[in-house]
Amino acid sequence: MSEMWPAGYVPVLLARISRPDSPAIDGYLADGGYASWKKVLAGIATGEWTPSKVTDLVKASGLRGRGGAGFPCGLKWTFVPPKEKRGNKPVYLLCNADESEPGTFKDRVLIEKDPHQILEGMMLASFALGVRHAYLYIRGEMVHGAEVLNAAVDEAYAKGLLGKNVQGSGLDLDLTIHRGGGAYICGEETALIESLEGKRGHPRIKPPFPAVSGVWASPTVVNNVETLCCVKHILDRGPDWFRTYGRNEKNTGPKLFCISGHVERPGVYEAPMGIPFLELLALAGGVKGGRKLKAVIPGGSSAPMLTAEEVQSMPLDFDGVAAAKSMLGSAAIIVMDETTDIPKAVANISKFYAHESCGQCTPCREGTPWLNKMLKRVVNGQGKRQDLDLLVQVASQMGNGMTICVFSDAAIAPVLSGIAKFRPEFEACLAKAASPDFALTAPSDVTEKVAGRMAEGIHS
Amino acid sequence: MSGGAGTPVSEQAGLPRVGEHGALSAGKAVAFSPKALARFEKLLTRYPTKQAALLPTLWIAQGEFGWISREAVDYVAGLLGLSPAFVWGVTTFYTMYNRAPVGKHLIQFCTSISCHLAGAEEVFAECRKILGDLKPGETSADGRFTVIEVECLAQCDKAPAVMVNDDDFAIITKDNLQKFLGGLR
Amino acid sequence: MAKVTVDGNVVEVPNDANALEACRAAGVDVPHFCYHPRFTIVGQCRMCMVEIDGMPKVQASCTVPIRDGMVIRATSEKALAARNATMEFLLINHPLDCPICDQAGECQLQDNAVAGGLPVSRTSEPRRLTPGYDRTEIGPHVIADMTRCIHCTRCIRFCSEIAGTGELSLIERGGHAIVWTHEGRILDNEWSACTADVCPVGALTTKEFRFRKRVWWLDKTSSICPGCEIGCNVSLEHRDQVVHRFLPRVNPEVNDFWLCDHGRFLAESLNGRDFLKPLVPNGTLPSAPGGAGRRETNWGEALGLVHEKLKAAQAGSIVALGSANLSTEENWLLAELFGKTVGSPNVEFEADQGPLRRIPNRKAVGADGGFVKGTVAAPNAKGAEAAGVRKADGASALGKILAGSLVPDVLYVSDAAFSARTADPAFAAKLRKAKFLVVHARVENPLTDVADVVLPVSGMTGKDGSFVNVQGRVQRFDAAFVPPPIVRTDLEVLLHLGRLFGSFETRWTAAHVFGKLAAAVPAYQGLTWEEPAVTGLPPSSSPAAAYDVLRPPRTSVDDTDKLPALAGKA
């Protein structure tokens, strides 16, 4: 196994993954694991450690959520109402391990190879938030991961790191692993909450935000697996150390990147936040077979596609990818070489979204299959001249607040970016079509007029 | 599968048609084994509401019965004090609860983007052909294989990725497909 | 209260209102499907999109709680474009067969499409079909057709949140989702047809009304359900003197938006008419049963005969039966005529104890466990009592007649179907023991078979009047249509008979009688005919005492404005 980090870089999150028996607690303890947790527990009585101190450290580290949105983690924690406002309601911490974004597999490595790292992060976050029962929601497909985590939780209970009066600190903390049933949308935090409550994973209307009213109508913080691992390391080594990683104050810390698609050595790589895309690509052995790079999806299938030119000087952090008009998302980098059929790839992604739409909001429930049907026709040589414009028009009326959650925005990103950046390829599909000018729908000038009227909001 | 609760209105609907969304009958009442019941009871202690135990309880049911039948839904609904319709609604929202008996090996091919780029669709088609021209979701005549297409398995670095029952398999290509299937026998 | 600006107009709304309610309060009809004032807000149809100042994205107005000073743009370009988009998405898979859909004419999807839809369809993909889930009896009263469903989930929320029975759920997800029961189970609860009421499209319709009548032909009359003492407000919908259905009429104080299946499907029972002319004895008394001993005549002869018999009889040997099915006005006239003018001590009524009927309404006066409950199987037992007609018992005249210890000279039955027992020939035979038996009737039953005089009356459809429900609430119902020429209302019959005694005037209407009643009965003081339905009275074991209590205020938000399909002025 080649090194999964740049030369000279000392891995943090992946430090233990190649140790034999890395998931076991003995090895973790031997490597200095749970030191922060024990330190904090011991400091409760003396007043050395308070929840706000942990929160302040996380805030000072500049840690931004690793799940996709990149929201500052410490700030998110402060949204939980103080005790005098929330009354008797408990606070819940949910670790989001519903890693389902196509192209993303970083959490799986952490879960399967170093679960105690996650648990310690959850414990520390629980202390900071006043949580008495934390849950880890793992996606249904990760059967092995759930087994590893359950074993780790049992070990932690056995070692007195969880349970009643942990390490004599007077603190009670329970932790439960909850396995989903197979639904991408449950990675959305409010859908995850619904699913944990035993319901269909329908995202909720916000506000109220989970921090105010989440699972079981109680204040709830949902954090990604990698984010919580970072919390552990921040408590181990301090926020100043954490901030030494990264291009600037807004993009800090070590970061996991998932590279897949047409590269020589796909896998999870750890690097400082902000590593240039080309460096990471080189680390992964470059484009497969030495072929030319054509396109990159930088943050999981929901992120707009970028062309080879657009990624040349792009640093891989939240703001760097945003500057290129895409998003870092889950840092799932999908590389497509010159042989890639972009329309087919876009059709494939749109199939995913049509399949995974929860179905509550009209534009998404009806729009995602519509986009998929059109794209399927286009790539199968049954496209029509007006299809490309219609695809863009339909996709354009699905996002930007038209739905409860941003699933719909995610579903249209690959369609809109794919057509905008690789339109000739789509047109080539149409050219191959049997009778592209034979319009089953309204002629395109009518379509345009209708679209115009829609834009103007004129009633017929 | 019948078309649902009642029969179509004869004078309006014509012949009854076969529905595809209803729970199949196992043909008999079902119940958890004492061991499974113990697991269920333990589950209840982990959540503030009974309802929250629904997904894990469905997993226990699938473990016990192999799939979620009409009777299993009624049983789970009874255990948790939920309406059977609600339980079936939740069951069908998630893709991993089997709604019919499956073969000994449930082969799940990921065809999402990274696996697609590695040619997963062709491998999926090839696999079905080898096992006797199976349609997606169909079980082979000998009852040993069911082949389905699934969305991203979070193993994109091992594309094309496959899951068989609960186990992960990496890089299943047309070249090693025969060997892979051979290993399952 | 908070001030909200909608399209430039400032409107005051309660603090707990949402932006959709504010728009409607301002008279801007923002279309919506999933919103219903009694259900959880789910915000998922995305039809009620508006722009709100300070929010960069368009918003589903039902999901946005109002703030004082909020500025809503409900008809801005962006808002209309968003709503048009949702309509387009809803229509790409909805069948284009309005002409054969029974919801046409009262379909919110159709209305919205007509009001603001696109002139052409841009999709050429095949429409979604739901084989096995179309045109299926999903329960005893409801037919489901999932090809028409727009996934607003109102029916699901009705069953889980209002009925508490949870028969329905979304099955599958995304574009494959359907609304259905668990396999092998049916949609069957006391109010199952309400799911069809709340369904904005033709996905759920009632078996009993489906394809009976195009809704635009229906005339609607405000009425009261005759099924039990709850007195649910209904819209009696009819055409060409035929009643086609009841729909619940919103009354937050009584039935709210709901109606039980039992009451709803009584609509049918208001049809049918067996008597068009009065019948009098053909020869000797008692008349031969089965109608053979009677002949048709005119009102003059029939009432003359009754008048004559009453005058000839001993006052103490005259028994008049009121009815919990008749209006309070009619019962009062009966009590006045037979009690005061004729001087009989035997003016009484009997009402059946029926199965428990319930209407979900947590906030209603007298609600018990979230339900308004009724156990008397007739709508106006309290009204009859308030009018001075006493409740029959073993010791009263009716009890004695049934026991065989009293054979009255005249038994005057103002409602041939006053009790379910009248369907029993043995029961009728006991009443027949009277020397002279007069009945008011619309349809035949064992009692009309044996009566000496049958006076043909209109039934509820032909008259107006008021009932007093279980809560002690006075509620008016209106005449739906004019009965055939010779048929009279019960009120008219009593007025004509009373005129022969010089007590009543035939020009009196129900409104007149109500005025006299209100003047004479202390409990009715201050009540007016014009608005009895909103002058509710708190419940009490004695209606007479209850009427003294002040009228409860109407709920702050006028719910009748919220759901046009069900609305109708009380």
Side-chain angles (χ1 to χ4, degrees):
Chain A
M1 191 172 169
S2 59
E3 294 290 290
M4 304 302 266
W5 40 82
Y9 176 87
V10 181
V12 177
L13 299 160
L14 299 184
R16 301 186 62 256
I17 60 162
S18 23
R19 304 276 168 93
D21 205 19
S22 64
I25 196 165
D26 291 335
Y28 186 73
L29 287 167
D31 289 340
Y34 288 120
S36 288
W37 179 227
K38 286 176 182 165
K39 170 177 80 182
V40 167
L41 288 172
I44 296 175
T46 63
E48 190 196 343
W49 281 96
T50 59
S52 60
K53 184 172 168 184
V54 176
T55 305
D56 288 343
L57 288 175
V58 172
K59 267 170 132 175
S61 73
L63 171 63
R64 289 172 69 173
R66 286 353 189 189
F71 195 83
C73 178
L75 185 61
K76 193 175 194 175
W77 290 3
T78 60
F79 293 159
V80 172
K83 203 157 173 61
E84 51 279 13
K85 276 198 190 160
R86 65 175 191 255
N88 286 331
K89 283 187 178 170
V91 182
Y92 289 102
L93 171 72
L94 309 186
C95 174
N96 185 347
D98 191 65
E99 179 173 60
S100 317
E101 178 77 21
T104 316
F105 44 96
K106 64 189 177 66
D107 295 344
R108 176 190 274 270
V109 173
L110 296 171
I111 290 164
E112 292 181 357
K113 299 291 185 189
D114 200 0
H116 284 288
Q117 181 181 200
I118 307 168
L119 299 189
E120 188 174 359
M122 287 179 72
M123 292 170 195
L124 294 163
S126 294
F127 172 71
L129 295 161
V131 169
R132 295 286 167 269
H133 200 143
Y135 292 86
L136 184 146
Y137 185 105
I138 184 168
R139 67 177 297 196
E141 286 85 347
M142 289 191 190
V143 186
H144 178 55
E147 282 166 4
V148 171
L149 280 167
N150 270 316
V153 168
D154 289 346
E155 284 178 329
Y157 270 102
K159 294 272 183 200
L161 296 162
L162 284 172
K164 293 254 172 284
N165 188 17
V166 187
Q167 307 271 304
S169 64
L171 194 91
D172 300 340
L173 180 61
D174 282 309
L175 200 155
T176 299
I177 307 298
H178 185 95
R179 188 171 151 227
Y184 166 78
I185 192 61
C186 292
E188 198 277 345
E189 62 178 2
T190 57
L192 186 143
I193 286 169
E194 288 278 298
S195 182
L196 180 60
E197 287 183 359
K199 303 177 192 161
R200 296 164 61 87
H202 288 180
R204 291 181 180 174
I205 302 162
K206 290 187 268 190
F209 289 92
V212 175
S213 179
V215 73
W216 303 300
S218 298
T220 304
V221 171
V222 186
N223 281 145
N224 169 261
V225 167
E226 188 188 342
T227 313
L228 288 164
C229 288
C230 288
V231 168
K232 171 217 145 57
H233 294 291
I234 290 164
L235 268 284
D236 279 358
R237 302 187 225 185
D240 294 337
W241 159 82
F242 194 81
R243 281 204 315 272
T244 59
Y245 297 82
R247 261 194 322 141
N248 56 36
E249 283 290 298
K250 286 190 170 160
N251 299 274
T252 58
K255 179 78 191 92
L256 298 184
F257 297 93
C258 321
I259 302 196
S260 64
H262 297 139
V263 293
E264 280 295 338
R265 291 191 300 276
V268 177
Y269 289 81
E270 181 176 335
M273 188 69 98
I275 182 176
F277 168 76
L278 290 183
E279 249 179 69
L280 192 73
L281 182 62
L283 206 53
V287 179
K288 201 166 191 176
R291 288 190 290 267
K292 259 176 72 187
L293 181 66
K294 185 184 210 171
V296 175
I297 299 175
S301 67
S302 312
M305 204 177 269
L306 297 172
T307 62
E309 294 73 49
E310 287 171 311
V311 297
Q312 287 306 315
S313 59
M314 182 177 71
L316 289 172
D317 57 29
F318 296 110
D319 299 331
V321 183
K325 300 256 161 42
S326 186
M327 59 177 193
L328 183 65
S330 55
I333 294 148
I334 302 158
V335 174
M336 293 182 251
D337 70 17
E338 57 189 327
T339 65
T340 310
D341 184 330
I342 297 287
K344 270 192 184 160
V346 172
N348 175 280
I349 296 174
S350 87
K351 182 197 74 173
F352 174 84
Y353 287 101
H355 184 250
E356 294 294 344
S357 168
C358 84
Q360 61 171 344
C361 300
T362 303
C364 180
R365 177 185 67 243
E366 305 295 343
T368 50
W370 191 8
L371 292 180
N372 183 235
K373 281 179 190 168
M374 280 194 275
L375 281 163
K376 246 186 354 208
R377 267 197 301 105
V378 169
V379 301
N380 289 341
Q382 292 154 340
K384 298 187 291 267
R385 283 263 176 262
Q386 68 270 27
D387 278 344
L388 294 190
D389 291 334
L390 186 54
L391 273 164
V392 172
Q393 287 161 6
V394 169
S396 304
Q397 58 187 30
M398 288 168 62
N400 254 326
M402 283 300 287
T403 49
I404 290 173
C405 77
V406 294
F407 178 98
S408 186
D409 296 79
I412 61 176
V415 177
L416 291 176
S417 61
I419 295 178
K421 291 171 186 179
F422 299 95
R423 193 168 177 115
E425 288 197 36
F426 286 88
E427 276 167 356
C429 289
L430 295 181
K432 276 184 274 172
S435 51
D437 290 321
F438 176 64
L440 286 171
T441 50
S444 58
D445 58 327
V446 174
T447 313
E448 274 156 28
K449 269 183 210 158
V450 172
R453 298 181 75 164
M454 288 185 60
E456 290 160 24
I458 296 170
H459 281 205
S460 62
Chain B
M1 234 178 284
S2 96
T7 47
V9 187
S10 53
E11 67 274 21
Q12 295 152 10
L15 292 172
R17 278 180 260 174
V18 174
E20 52 186 78
H21 306 300
L24 286 172
S25 172
K28 59 177 194 300
V30 297
F32 281 176
S33 65
K35 214 174 144 191
L37 264 181
R39 277 178 66 202
F40 168 73
E41 292 296 336
K42 202 178 154 201
L43 261 184
L44 292 182
T45 66
R46 305 304 295 182
Y47 304 96
T49 66
K50 260 188 160 183
Q51 179 174 302
L54 178 53
L55 263 58
T57 306
L58 286 170
W59 279 124
I60 297 178
Q62 182 145 316
E64 287 277 286
F65 315 128
W67 59 291
I68 307 296
S69 63
R70 188 190 304 177
E71 293 79 7
V73 168
D74 285 327
Y75 180 70
V76 168
L79 281 180
L80 295 170
L82 301 169
S83 92
F86 178 85
V87 172
W88 183 241
V90 170
T91 307
T92 55
F93 185 84
Y94 300 96
T95 53
M96 294 186 70
Y97 298 115
N98 299 330
R99 303 201 228 151
V102 294
K104 184 179 167 202
H105 304 289
L106 176 64
I107 308 177
Q108 304 155 69
F109 274 89
C110 171
T111 57
S112 290
I113 182 69
S114 299
C115 293
H116 159 84
L117 293 174
E121 277 108 337
E122 289 80 26
V123 190
F124 176 57
E126 180 74 14
C127 178
R128 287 186 286 126
K129 207 175 136 196
I130 291 173
L131 295 174
D133 279 326
L134 298 182
K135 290 192 201 81
E138 207 181 344
T139 302
S140 61
D142 56 9
R144 292 178 52 232
F145 299 101
T146 306
V147 190
I148 59 168
E149 188 180 4
V150 296
E151 301 295 358
C152 187
L153 290 171
Q155 292 201 79
C156 318
D157 51 341
K158 307 186 183 76
V162 173
M163 251 183 111
V164 180
N165 299 337
D166 292 346
D167 299 319
D168 304 318
F169 289 81
I171 318 181
I172 306 300
T173 61
K174 274 184 168 176
D175 299 334
N176 63 14
L177 185 60
Q178 286 286 6
K179 202 176 145 206
F180 158 71
L181 289 174
L184 297 178
R185 284 164 205 268
Chain C
M1 297 296 274
K3 280 201 173 79
V4 175
T5 308
V6 181
D7 289 350
N9 299 318
V10 179
V11 62
E12 260 196 89
V13 287
N15 290 323
D16 60 354
N18 61 45
L20 175 60
E21 287 160 349
C23 290
R24 295 173 70 79
V28 180
D29 191 10
V30 175
H32 59 271
F33 297 111
C34 67
Y35 166 83
H36 187 287
R38 290 295 179 269
F39 303 155
T40 319
I41 298 284
V42 290
Q44 62 191 36
C45 75
R46 314 308 284 180
M47 192 63 228
C48 64
M49 306 305 284
V50 297
E51 263 194 288
I52 294 174
D53 281 13
M55 298 188 179
K57 293 177 177 175
V58 282
Q59 300 288 327
S61 56
C62 69
T63 67
V64 183
I66 56 104
R67 271 181 297 100
D68 195 43
M70 182 178 265
V71 178
I72 302 170
R73 299 179 196 279
T75 48
S76 70
E77 248 180 50
K78 248 172 105 179
L80 289 176
R83 299 212 287 266
N84 276 344
T86 297
M87 275 307 289
E88 178 172 39
F89 286 122
L90 283 172
L91 291 174
I92 59 167
N93 276 310
H94 193 86
L96 292 176
D97 57 1
C98 298
I100 61 152
C101 175
D102 200 43
Q103 188 80 2
E106 54 183 7
C107 171
Q108 283 167 302
L109 187 68
Q110 188 184 41
D111 292 350
N112 289 342
V114 170
L118 295 172
V120 295
S121 170
R122 299 195 289 179
T123 180
S124 59
E125 317 304 328
R127 274 159 208 263
R128 179 169 55 225
L129 294 174
T130 54
Y133 298 90
D134 42 4
R135 295 175 291 179
T136 301
E137 279 182 43
I138 198 169
H141 300 296
V142 179
I143 291 176
D145 187 345
M146 282 305 115
T147 56
R148 305 193 188 287
C149 178
I150 58 165
H151 306 84
C152 73
T153 70
R154 275 185 184 176
C155 55
I156 297 176
R157 284 174 285 152
F158 175 82
C159 289
S160 59
E161 296 172 11
I162 305 296
T165 47
E167 291 99 331
L168 295 176
S169 176
L170 272 178
I171 312 283
E172 311 275 359
R173 72 181 182 211
H176 300 289
I178 58 161
V179 174
W180 212 256
T181 57
H182 178 44
E183 186 78 26
R185 304 215 174 202
I186 56 173
L187 167 60
D188 187 11
N189 58 52
E190 290 157 80
W191 319 274
S192 69
C194 288
T195 57
D197 290 342
V198 298
C199 181
V201 294
L204 299 180
T205 48
T206 56
K207 190 169 124 189
E208 284 80 354
F209 179 70
R210 191 176 158 92
F211 300 133
R212 281 276 303 270
K213 201 75 189 169
R214 279 305 197 183
V215 294
W216 51 84
W217 296 123
L218 290 173
D219 295 321
K220 296 176 182 239
T221 302
S222 288
S223 192
I224 302 295
C225 173
C228 80
E229 59 180 331
I230 295 175
C232 292
N233 295 200
V234 297
S235 164
L236 190 154
E237 316 219 328
H238 55 97
R239 173 79 184 178
D240 298 335
Q241 312 234 338
V242 176
V243 179
H244 288 289
R245 66 171 175 186
F246 282 165
L247 283 187
R249 199 155 45 86
V250 180
N251 187 337
E253 318 288 352
V254 185
N255 54 308
D256 212 9
F257 287 78
W258 323 123
L259 188 59
C260 78
D261 291 351
H262 165 76
R264 181 186 303 257
F265 300 116
L266 285 177
E268 193 74 25
S269 70
L270 300 185
N271 293 324
R273 186 175 305 288
D274 296 329
F275 303 107
L276 292 172
K277 287 184 172 177
L279 301 176
V280 292
N282 223 345
T284 53
L285 290 174
S287 305
R294 301 179 310 224
R295 63 181 165 83
E296 288 188 339
T297 183
N298 56 35
W299 280 101
E301 187 190 353
L303 289 180
L305 177 64
V306 175
H307 179 229
E308 193 181 297
K309 290 283 179 190
L310 285 171
K311 275 204 304 190
Q314 280 288 329
S317 187
I318 293 172
V319 177
L321 293 186
S323 169
N325 296 322
L326 296 191
S327 71
T328 313
E329 295 74 22
E330 290 156 350
N331 277 297
W332 186 75
L333 285 182
L334 188 83
E336 286 290 302
L337 178 60
F338 284 87
K340 292 201 180 139
T341 306
V342 176
S344 162
N346 309 314
V347 185
E348 47 195 68
F349 78 101
E350 181 188 272
D352 294 335
Q353 279 298 117
L356 175 69
R357 307 285 176 204
R358 304 186 300 166
I359 284 292
N361 190 345
R362 281 185 192 82
K363 289 185 182 157
V365 171
D368 170 17
F371 296 98
V372 181
K373 294 178 177 171
T375 53
V376 176
N380 198 29
K382 293 212 164 173
E385 234 178 317
V389 180
R390 69 180 273 228
K391 222 181 216 166
D393 54 36
S396 72
L398 180 60
K400 288 180 191 158
I401 295 170
L402 294 173
S405 60
L406 171 66
V407 178
D409 287 347
V410 177
L411 173 58
Y412 189 96
V413 181
S414 63
D415 171 17
F418 67 89
S419 158
R421 296 203 280 172
T422 57
D424 175 8
F427 180 79
K430 285 180 185 164
L431 300 190
R432 171 64 278 188
K433 296 248 164 68
K435 290 177 190 146
F436 189 68
L437 176 59
V438 184
V439 298
H440 293 200
R442 175 172 60 88
V443 289
E444 282 178 352
N445 72 1
L447 193 57
T448 64
D449 267 4
V450 297
D452 295 309
V453 174
V454 177
L455 303 174
V457 289
S458 67
M460 220 182 142
T461 53
K463 63 185 182 187
D464 44 10
S466 70
F467 290 152
V468 180
N469 82 344
V470 66
Q471 300 163 306
R473 196 178 172 76
V474 179
Q475 305 195 102
R476 213 182 74 208
F477 59 90
D478 294 343
F481 41 79
V482 182
I486 299 190
V487 169
R488 285 178 175 165
T489 68
D490 298 284
L491 190 94
E492 287 166 345
V493 174
L494 291 166
L495 289 175
H496 278 84
L497 185 61
R499 193 181 64 102
L500 298 179
F501 285 96
S503 308
F504 303 152
E505 291 178 38
T506 54
R507 64 178 174 83
W508 291 351
T509 61
H512 272 97
V513 178
F514 185 92
K516 292 178 183 300
L517 156 79
V521 180
Y524 270 73
Q525 208 169 20
L527 293 183
T528 62
W529 173 253
E530 281 66 34
E531 259 204 313
V534 295
T535 50
L537 296 157
S540 161
S541 53
S542 148
Y547 299 149
D548 293 329
V549 184
L550 286 174
R551 306 157 191 181
R554 231 173 163 196
T555 44
S556 55
V557 177
D558 186 356
D559 294 286
T560 54
D561 294 342
K562 288 188 181 168
L563 200 69
L566 302 183
K569 192 79 180 80

